[in-house]
Amino acid sequence: MTVTIPFGGFFSATADPDNIPKMVHKLEESGAKTFCYKNDGVIMAAWEQFDGQGIWSSHAGAVCYDTELSNERELRGLISDELETPADMGELLWKLYRKFGREFLDKLRGAFAFSIWDSSCRKLMVVTDFYGIRPVVYTKSPRYFAAASRIKHLTWAGVETGGINPDAVFHYLFFQAICTPLTIYKQINKLEPGTGLDSDQKGLTHFTYYDIRYTTDSNKTEASWRDEIFNQVEKAVEVYVQSLPVDKTGCFLSGGTDSSSIAGLYTKLSGKPARTFSIGFDEPKYNELDYARIAADCFKTDYHEYYVKPKDVIDLMDLLPRVYDEPFGNASVIPAFYCARHAEENGVDIMLGGDGGDEIFGGNERYVANLVFQKYLEVPELIRKKLIEPLLSLTPDQGVFYKAKRYIRRANFPNPKRFYSYNLLSEVDPNLIFQDDFMHTINFNSFLDIAEKHYQNAAPADDTDRLLYLDMKFTITDNDIRKVTQMVETTGLRVRYPLLDRDLVDFSATIPPGLKVKWKKNRYIFKHAMKGFLPDEIISKSKHGMGLPVTPWFRNDKKMNELLYDTVFTGTPRLLQYLNPDFIDQMKTSFEKDSTSYYGDNLWVFLMLEQWLSSHES
């Protein structure tokens, strides 16, 4: 199996003159193109793996970049009065910057991350896009400031990492990923979406140029919202119909509402059958190919499917820790890879993903669950505290009583703690989970502190919108986008996300939250908007996605079982630096006795941590 570890992107730094030659040498050894302003102590570099990645320089300044702009034609029109038309993306960004200043960032659409050095004011500016699709990581020491697209770019330049960050390990175990602004390393941070950094003689300054603001428009009828939602989604897909070659563009098709909408609209707008790619499993509970086929048949797409097997997982295990610069535990990386690889084998260069629809239109079941919790809190406190809860405390911890106790426990938490209280680490005493030495190094509030900051930052929005905002910051930026982008690039393709079009996201923030999520109904108004366009079976289906059947495979496939037991339960795994051996044994026992996927899914997270530690720790 031929794969390429993603490496494209940029690096920029301000450094002591003595450090520059050494950094340049290391960067060029790794394959980067470099440019220096030696008198100013500035290094710019780029690894050109895909179109939209590179470096441009002049005496006045330089730009190194990693971009997938969807409105390049319009941007070029903004500088049409220039004597020469920029041939290079870096030069285009430079001219926009010189004409509009930092305000030009608001004019960009699509995904982007770049660094601009302005010699006139001796300032290095680094930015990432509105939702962190093209990420930026950075580090600051007394000897240098450096920023890059990937953690590996920083380490290739020889920057110091500071070693493993204990709070990041906790983030990973809690969330399957490490959340911005943390990375796995103490001295490296991620740049938050919609923000940038200015490095000049005054020091390092953070700035925010964009954020999602929820400003509900209450003047429209439900019928008006249905029409406008359909039109806005169609407009977002049309951007990519116009800017990408139809014969080289494919669509992920899971059979859900988002991917089906994109495939259907792409077919409608392009006038040609969308090239769609779907993943199936031999496990009936996880296989959704029937729905993908319904969508493909409805829109007459050029349909392709691939069945992922346990052997496919085994084949990728050594690759995954090298693809991700830090631990990453979302098991859907496997179907994402094989779906993209199947597309690459069929001549596709660019994939369209449906990520973002749940977070802008209210598609996750947790949003509905939050309304259920709020209903309980509407019961008079005297009845809750003096009658219901005391009586329930006398019942056994099993069956329906146990479920009721868990429900009330979670309902009594304030958000955002309630929103994440389903988590294993929220339900078990940390003294039972972690090693004593590790316990003393962790800030157990590190994740929830960041969540609380986001939750408050979204105020005064309705509670539902504030949870959507949390998921845009965490689930989209730090999990789903990382999952899909990295695995698609591993196959040599790139991916675009129509439902994360800036204008569509901003529009969605005006939809009343009560139309997005209703009692027992997620993405209510979106489904009504798509009724008559999408097949009824897809609109009425329960949410699933491309989840990997790791639990049944851990149980029933010999090699998967051996992988789990040999890696996590045998010998002295590296993860025992962090996790209590008794807790691992308890997880093993629970996994063997419990018929649900709960423990198997958590063990996958442990397995991927062990795989990463084995590959990255000396």
Side-chain angles (χ1 to χ4, degrees):
M1 179 169 53
T2 302
V3 297
T4 301
I5 305 301
F7 65 87
F10 73 89
F11 171 93
S12 62
T14 55
D16 293 339
D18 292 343
N19 282 338
I20 289 180
K22 186 185 300 182
M23 277 190 172
V24 169
H25 177 70
K26 287 178 176 292
L27 289 165
E28 291 180 347
E29 273 193 332
S30 71
K33 293 182 178 179
T34 64
F35 188 86
C36 292
Y37 295 86
K38 293 181 181 178
N39 293 337
D40 294 315
V42 173
I43 308 168
M44 309 287 274
W47 294 262
E48 298 178 355
Q49 183 181 6
F50 296 103
D51 290 342
Q53 297 174 334
I55 183 171
W56 172 88
S57 61
S58 73
H59 71 279
V63 184
C64 49
Y65 54 90
D66 183 4
T67 62
E68 299 163 326
L69 296 177
S70 60
N71 66 332
E72 184 176 342
R73 183 181 302 174
E74 291 85 347
L75 294 172
R76 290 183 180 278
L78 295 175
I79 55 169
S80 58
D81 56 336
E82 299 280 345
L83 294 177
E84 295 183 10
T85 302
D88 184 276
M89 176 59 68
E91 186 180 8
L92 173 62
L93 294 171
W94 172 256
K95 290 191 172 185
L96 290 166
Y97 163 74
R98 291 299 296 266
K99 183 170 184 176
F100 298 103
R102 188 191 289 169
E103 284 68 32
F104 91 95
L105 298 173
D106 192 55
K107 303 179 186 299
L108 305 180
R109 292 296 181 269
F112 55 86
F114 52 81
S115 185
I116 294 178
W117 167 251
D118 187 342
S119 295
S120 65
C121 58
R122 301 188 66 195
K123 180 174 72 176
L124 184 68
M125 180 178 75
V126 186
V127 297
T128 185
D129 61 58
F130 315 116
Y131 315 114
I133 299 171
R134 304 312 306 175
V136 170
V137 291
Y138 66 96
T139 184
K140 180 78 169 68
S141 82
R143 293 179 292 118
Y144 53 74
F145 159 73
S149 299
R150 306 177 190 273
I151 293 174
K152 61 169 61 82
H153 294 155
L154 295 178
T155 58
W156 286 347
V159 306
E160 297 169 355
T161 66
I164 299 292
N165 182 347
D167 287 342
V169 175
F170 179 78
H171 271 227
Y172 169 79
L173 293 169
F174 191 94
F175 191 67
Q176 305 176 356
I178 297 165
C179 299
T180 305
L182 274 61
T183 75
I184 190 61
Y185 299 113
K186 293 177 183 177
Q187 292 176 202
I188 299 176
N189 287 321
K190 298 188 189 88
L191 191 57
E192 294 189 15
T195 71
L197 297 167
D198 282 335
S199 178
D200 55 23
Q201 294 165 315
K202 298 177 183 178
L204 189 64
T205 306
H206 285 73
F207 64 87
T208 298
Y209 68 89
Y210 169 81
D211 203 0
I212 305 168
R213 303 316 305 166
Y214 294 90
T215 52
T216 299
D217 184 344
S218 303
N219 297 319
K220 297 176 185 174
T221 64
E222 198 170 301
S224 296
W225 280 117
R226 289 198 300 268
D227 292 341
E228 193 164 357
I229 287 170
F230 185 91
N231 292 337
Q232 290 292 331
V233 174
E234 184 176 50
K235 183 179 176 182
V237 174
E238 187 174 18
V239 167
Y240 295 96
V241 174
Q242 293 179 348
S243 61
L244 301 176
V246 174
D247 61 327
K248 292 292 185 180
T249 301
C251 301
F252 285 102
L253 182 60
S254 68
T257 53
D258 293 328
S259 64
S260 299
S261 296
I262 291 172
L265 289 169
Y266 194 90
T267 297
K268 173 188 174 184
L269 295 166
S270 68
K272 296 182 179 180
R275 306 186 68 189
T276 58
F277 297 86
S278 304
I279 290 296
F281 309 100
D282 285 331
E283 299 289 337
K285 180 181 175 183
Y286 292 81
N287 187 44
E288 290 215 306
L289 280 181
D290 286 346
Y291 291 104
R293 291 164 183 161
I294 288 171
D297 183 63
C298 174
F299 299 117
K300 308 302 178 188
T301 72
D302 179 8
Y303 176 71
H304 307 262
E305 63 183 41
Y306 179 85
Y307 272 83
V308 173
K309 302 169 287 297
K311 182 182 182 301
D312 292 322
V313 181
I314 300 295
D315 289 345
L316 273 187
M317 290 309 292
D318 290 339
L319 176 74
L320 292 177
R322 295 186 289 129
V323 171
Y324 292 93
D325 289 348
E326 52 186 357
F328 191 74
N330 188 329
S332 293
V333 295
I334 305 293
F337 171 83
Y338 284 104
C339 196
R341 191 185 72 161
H342 196 47
E344 187 273 334
E345 291 171 345
N346 282 273
V348 166
D349 290 340
I350 300 168
M351 293 291 287
L352 299 183
D355 301 85
D358 286 333
E359 291 75 18
I360 66 174
F361 292 120
N364 286 320
E365 293 295 335
R366 289 184 296 150
Y367 310 140
V368 176
N370 186 63
L371 297 184
V372 177
F373 292 134
Q374 288 178 335
K375 284 292 183 183
Y376 175 72
L377 295 177
E378 291 173 7
V379 175
E381 184 177 10
L382 186 65
I383 296 175
R384 286 188 284 116
K385 298 299 182 183
K386 298 297 184 182
L387 180 61
I388 297 175
E389 293 175 24
L391 285 175
L392 203 56
S393 68
L394 302 176
T395 61
D397 286 336
Q398 57 189 23
V400 67
F401 298 112
Y402 175 68
K403 290 182 179 179
K405 289 179 181 181
R406 288 188 70 207
Y407 163 77
I408 289 174
R409 170 182 169 272
R410 293 182 64 190
N412 282 325
F413 289 145
N415 271 325
K417 183 177 181 180
R418 181 201 304 157
F419 196 50
Y420 298 104
S421 59
Y422 64 90
N423 192 285
L424 172 69
L425 270 63
S426 296
E427 298 198 337
V428 180
D429 182 349
N431 290 286
L432 301 177
I433 298 175
F434 298 106
Q435 292 277 17
D436 289 342
D437 290 345
F438 184 60
M439 285 273 293
H440 294 103
T441 67
I442 308 172
N443 171 13
F444 285 104
N445 292 319
S446 60
F447 178 88
L448 285 175
D449 284 348
I450 300 171
E452 181 67 31
K453 185 194 80 169
H454 289 316
Y455 186 77
Q456 295 303 329
N457 194 46
D462 177 89
D463 199 48
T464 292
D465 278 337
R466 292 168 85 172
L467 299 183
L468 295 176
Y469 183 85
L470 273 174
D471 271 347
M472 285 295 293
K473 297 296 183 180
F474 286 153
T475 303
I476 286 297
T477 297
D478 293 317
N479 201 317
D480 288 354
I481 295 303
R482 301 284 185 267
K483 170 193 72 180
V484 179
T485 301
Q486 292 289 83
M487 297 318 293
V488 169
E489 291 185 359
T490 301
T491 68
L493 276 59
R494 292 207 101 174
V495 59
R496 307 287 196 272
Y497 303 100
L499 300 183
L500 292 176
D501 174 81
R502 154 82 186 272
D503 297 323
L504 178 61
V505 174
D506 287 345
F507 161 75
S508 74
T510 68
I511 302 172
L515 289 180
K516 295 174 186 172
V517 183
K518 286 183 174 288
W519 181 256
K520 295 186 178 181
K521 294 179 181 178
N522 60 349
R523 62 165 69 224
Y524 168 81
I525 193 65
F526 179 83
K527 289 180 178 179
H528 278 270
M530 293 298 164
K531 197 169 183 63
F533 181 72
L534 292 181
D536 289 343
E537 298 96 323
I538 288 175
I539 288 178
S540 61
K541 74 181 284 291
S542 59
K543 178 174 171 54
H544 192 279
M546 285 199 294
L548 189 74
V550 290
T551 297
W553 287 354
F554 279 155
R555 287 200 176 102
N556 304 321
D557 183 80
K558 181 181 178 182
K559 289 190 178 297
M560 286 286 289
N561 185 268
E562 288 174 352
L563 173 68
L564 174 64
Y565 277 69
D566 291 349
T567 305
V568 176
F569 300 139
T570 303
T572 308
R574 287 170 174 79
L575 58 81
L576 292 184
Q577 306 171 65
Y578 312 113
L579 297 175
N580 189 320
D582 292 338
F583 173 68
I584 297 294
D585 289 342
Q586 182 183 355
M587 289 291 292
K588 177 175 176 286
T589 301
S590 298
F591 164 70
E592 292 170 345
K593 291 182 177 180
D594 190 276
S595 61
T596 70
S597 64
Y598 182 77
Y599 293 101
D601 289 347
N602 279 285
L603 288 173
W604 172 270
V605 176
F606 297 167
L607 172 65
M608 295 313 300
L609 176 61
E610 181 64 22
Q611 293 282 101
W612 190 90
L613 292 172
S614 298
S615 297
H616 290 77
E617 282 195 337
S618 56

